[in-house]
Amino acid sequence: MKQLGYILTDKGSKYAVSGCAVTDRLGIDAALKMLKADRAYAKATHNSWGAWLRDGGPVKGDDGESGAGMVILRMLERDAVQDHLIVVTRWYGGKHLGGDRFRHVQTCVRAYLDAI
């Protein structure tokens, strides 16, 4: 699992991005389990994720951050990235971010895609 760590902060919320190659749902579940083995990520408010599987189509998980998984999927589709899981982690800082949270998810995913 490639972890880029903290990408940005806003109003106390911190965002990080991680990802790895996967080929099926079992691989996604194993990767998420490995990420959450790190106590900091296990205690995060949200671990939103998305993957576009060549043999399984789009799969996502918002983990309470409604709509974040779809943002990740759209970016994977736009860049034609398949069989790769991207997880955007947020530690809530106490203040609502409104629509900014989607821009932050996009920023994190773009940083990850640029790094691979």
Side-chain angles (χ1 to χ4, degrees), residues 2-15:
K2 181 180 184 100
Q3 293 175 292
L4 297 186
Y6 294 127
I7 300 297
L8 61 94
T9 61
D10 184 10
K11 298 179 183 172
S13 287
K14 296 177 185 174
Y15 285 83

PDB file of all heavy atoms in Angstrom, residues 2-15:
ATOM      1  N   LYS A   2       0.686   2.086  -0.982  1.00  0.00           N
ATOM      2  CA  LYS A   2       1.431   3.341  -1.076  1.00  0.00           C
ATOM      3  C   LYS A   2       0.651   4.403  -0.312  1.00  0.00           C
ATOM      4  O   LYS A   2      -0.511   4.653  -0.605  1.00  0.00           O
ATOM      5  CB  LYS A   2       1.577   3.738  -2.546  1.00  0.00           C
ATOM      6  CG  LYS A   2       2.350   5.007  -2.764  1.00  0.00           C
ATOM      7  CD  LYS A   2       2.432   5.316  -4.252  1.00  0.00           C
ATOM      8  CE  LYS A   2       3.268   6.524  -4.501  1.00  0.00           C
ATOM      9  NZ  LYS A   2       4.607   6.207  -4.929  1.00  0.00           N
ATOM     10  N   GLN A   3       1.290   5.016   0.686  1.00  0.00           N
ATOM     11  CA  GLN A   3       0.657   6.056   1.490  1.00  0.00           C
ATOM     12  C   GLN A   3       1.390   7.369   1.262  1.00  0.00           C
ATOM     13  O   GLN A   3       2.579   7.470   1.524  1.00  0.00           O
ATOM     14  CB  GLN A   3       0.700   5.694   2.967  1.00  0.00           C
ATOM     15  CG  GLN A   3      -0.145   4.482   3.314  1.00  0.00           C
ATOM     16  CD  GLN A   3       0.011   4.090   4.762  1.00  0.00           C
ATOM     17  OE1 GLN A   3       1.080   3.640   5.171  1.00  0.00           O
ATOM     18  NE2 GLN A   3      -1.044   4.260   5.531  1.00  0.00           N
ATOM     19  N   LEU A   4       0.651   8.374   0.782  1.00  0.00           N
ATOM     20  CA  LEU A   4       1.268   9.684   0.574  1.00  0.00           C
ATOM     21  C   LEU A   4       1.183  10.548   1.825  1.00  0.00           C
ATOM     22  O   LEU A   4       1.765  11.619   1.868  1.00  0.00           O
ATOM     23  CB  LEU A   4       0.619  10.413  -0.602  1.00  0.00           C
ATOM     24  CG  LEU A   4       0.755   9.753  -1.972  1.00  0.00           C
ATOM     25  CD1 LEU A   4       0.186  10.662  -3.054  1.00  0.00           C
ATOM     26  CD2 LEU A   4       2.188   9.396  -2.291  1.00  0.00           C
ATOM     27  N   GLY A   5       0.449  10.101   2.828  1.00  0.00           N
ATOM     28  CA  GLY A   5       0.343  10.870   4.062  1.00  0.00           C
ATOM     29  C   GLY A   5      -0.538  12.083   3.887  1.00  0.00           C
ATOM     30  O   GLY A   5      -1.376  12.151   2.994  1.00  0.00           O
ATOM     31  N   TYR A   6      -0.346  13.071   4.756  1.00  0.00           N
ATOM     32  CA  TYR A   6      -1.189  14.266   4.735  1.00  0.00           C
ATOM     33  C   TYR A   6      -0.978  15.047   3.451  1.00  0.00           C
ATOM     34  O   TYR A   6       0.136  15.370   3.083  1.00  0.00           O
ATOM     35  CB  TYR A   6      -0.884  15.189   5.918  1.00  0.00           C
ATOM     36  CG  TYR A   6      -1.236  14.597   7.255  1.00  0.00           C
ATOM     37  CD1 TYR A   6      -0.298  14.544   8.274  1.00  0.00           C
ATOM     38  CD2 TYR A   6      -2.508  14.099   7.511  1.00  0.00           C
ATOM     39  CE1 TYR A   6      -0.620  14.009   9.512  1.00  0.00           C
ATOM     40  CE2 TYR A   6      -2.831  13.559   8.738  1.00  0.00           C
ATOM     41  CZ  TYR A   6      -1.883  13.513   9.733  1.00  0.00           C
ATOM     42  OH  TYR A   6      -2.204  12.974  10.944  1.00  0.00           O
ATOM     43  N   ILE A   7      -2.076  15.355   2.790  1.00  0.00           N
ATOM     44  CA  ILE A   7      -2.044  16.143   1.560  1.00  0.00           C
ATOM     45  C   ILE A   7      -2.448  17.581   1.854  1.00  0.00           C
ATOM     46  O   ILE A   7      -1.851  18.516   1.348  1.00  0.00           O
ATOM     47  CB  ILE A   7      -2.974  15.535   0.489  1.00  0.00           C
ATOM     48  CG1 ILE A   7      -2.545  14.108   0.141  1.00  0.00           C
ATOM     49  CG2 ILE A   7      -3.047  16.406  -0.759  1.00  0.00           C
ATOM     50  CD1 ILE A   7      -1.168  14.002  -0.464  1.00  0.00           C
ATOM     51  N   LEU A   8      -3.481  17.748   2.703  1.00  0.00           N
ATOM     52  CA  LEU A   8      -3.933  19.103   3.009  1.00  0.00           C
ATOM     53  C   LEU A   8      -4.696  19.123   4.322  1.00  0.00           C
ATOM     54  O   LEU A   8      -5.102  18.096   4.843  1.00  0.00           O
ATOM     55  CB  LEU A   8      -4.802  19.665   1.879  1.00  0.00           C
ATOM     56  CG  LEU A   8      -6.097  18.934   1.541  1.00  0.00           C
ATOM     57  CD1 LEU A   8      -7.274  19.541   2.291  1.00  0.00           C
ATOM     58  CD2 LEU A   8      -6.349  19.051   0.054  1.00  0.00           C
ATOM     59  N   THR A   9      -4.855  20.334   4.855  1.00  0.00           N
ATOM     60  CA  THR A   9      -5.677  20.558   6.037  1.00  0.00           C
ATOM     61  C   THR A   9      -6.591  21.746   5.765  1.00  0.00           C
ATOM     62  O   THR A   9      -6.242  22.643   4.998  1.00  0.00           O
ATOM     63  CB  THR A   9      -4.824  20.858   7.293  1.00  0.00           C
ATOM     64  OG1 THR A   9      -4.062  22.034   7.059  1.00  0.00           O
ATOM     65  CG2 THR A   9      -3.894  19.703   7.628  1.00  0.00           C
ATOM     66  N   ASP A  10      -7.777  21.708   6.380  1.00  0.00           N
ATOM     67  CA  ASP A  10      -8.737  22.792   6.222  1.00  0.00           C
ATOM     68  C   ASP A  10      -9.637  22.811   7.451  1.00  0.00           C
ATOM     69  O   ASP A  10     -10.283  21.805   7.758  1.00  0.00           O
ATOM     70  CB  ASP A  10      -9.572  22.588   4.954  1.00  0.00           C
ATOM     71  CG  ASP A  10     -10.537  23.744   4.686  1.00  0.00           C
ATOM     72  OD1 ASP A  10     -10.441  24.795   5.352  1.00  0.00           O
ATOM     73  OD2 ASP A  10     -11.395  23.587   3.799  1.00  0.00           O
ATOM     74  N   LYS A  11      -9.670  23.942   8.142  1.00  0.00           N
ATOM     75  CA  LYS A  11     -10.518  24.122   9.322  1.00  0.00           C
ATOM     76  C   LYS A  11     -10.365  22.980  10.323  1.00  0.00           C
ATOM     77  O   LYS A  11     -11.327  22.518  10.905  1.00  0.00           O
ATOM     78  CB  LYS A  11     -11.974  24.274   8.912  1.00  0.00           C
ATOM     79  CG  LYS A  11     -12.236  25.485   8.047  1.00  0.00           C
ATOM     80  CD  LYS A  11     -13.687  25.585   7.650  1.00  0.00           C
ATOM     81  CE  LYS A  11     -13.873  26.769   6.718  1.00  0.00           C
ATOM     82  NZ  LYS A  11     -15.207  26.818   6.146  1.00  0.00           N
ATOM     83  N   GLY A  12      -9.151  22.519  10.484  1.00  0.00           N
ATOM     84  CA  GLY A  12      -8.866  21.465  11.436  1.00  0.00           C
ATOM     85  C   GLY A  12      -8.944  20.061  10.872  1.00  0.00           C
ATOM     86  O   GLY A  12      -8.383  19.129  11.442  1.00  0.00           O
ATOM     87  N   SER A  13      -9.642  19.868   9.757  1.00  0.00           N
ATOM     88  CA  SER A  13      -9.711  18.550   9.126  1.00  0.00           C
ATOM     89  C   SER A  13      -8.408  18.279   8.381  1.00  0.00           C
ATOM     90  O   SER A  13      -7.836  19.179   7.759  1.00  0.00           O
ATOM     91  CB  SER A  13     -10.877  18.457   8.141  1.00  0.00           C
ATOM     92  OG  SER A  13     -12.103  18.379   8.810  1.00  0.00           O
ATOM     93  N   LYS A  14      -7.948  17.036   8.462  1.00  0.00           N
ATOM     94  CA  LYS A  14      -6.740  16.619   7.749  1.00  0.00           C
ATOM     95  C   LYS A  14      -7.112  15.540   6.752  1.00  0.00           C
ATOM     96  O   LYS A  14      -7.945  14.683   7.033  1.00  0.00           O
ATOM     97  CB  LYS A  14      -5.714  16.060   8.726  1.00  0.00           C
ATOM     98  CG  LYS A  14      -5.209  17.075   9.715  1.00  0.00           C
ATOM     99  CD  LYS A  14      -4.256  16.428  10.688  1.00  0.00           C
ATOM    100  CE  LYS A  14      -3.834  17.420  11.760  1.00  0.00           C
ATOM    101  NZ  LYS A  14      -3.012  16.785  12.793  1.00  0.00           N
ATOM    102  N   TYR A  15      -6.481  15.589   5.588  1.00  0.00           N
ATOM    103  CA  TYR A  15      -6.727  14.624   4.521  1.00  0.00           C
ATOM    104  C   TYR A  15      -5.428  13.932   4.141  1.00  0.00           C
ATOM    105  O   TYR A  15      -4.385  14.567   4.027  1.00  0.00           O
ATOM    106  CB  TYR A  15      -7.272  15.317   3.272  1.00  0.00           C
ATOM    107  CG  TYR A  15      -8.715  15.730   3.371  1.00  0.00           C
ATOM    108  CD1 TYR A  15      -9.074  16.914   3.997  1.00  0.00           C
ATOM    109  CD2 TYR A  15      -9.715  14.936   2.834  1.00  0.00           C
ATOM    110  CE1 TYR A  15     -10.402  17.301   4.078  1.00  0.00           C
ATOM    111  CE2 TYR A  15     -11.046  15.317   2.913  1.00  0.00           C
ATOM    112  CZ  TYR A  15     -11.381  16.499   3.538  1.00  0.00           C
ATOM    113  OH  TYR A  15     -12.701  16.879   3.625  1.00  0.00           O
TER     114      TYR A  15
END
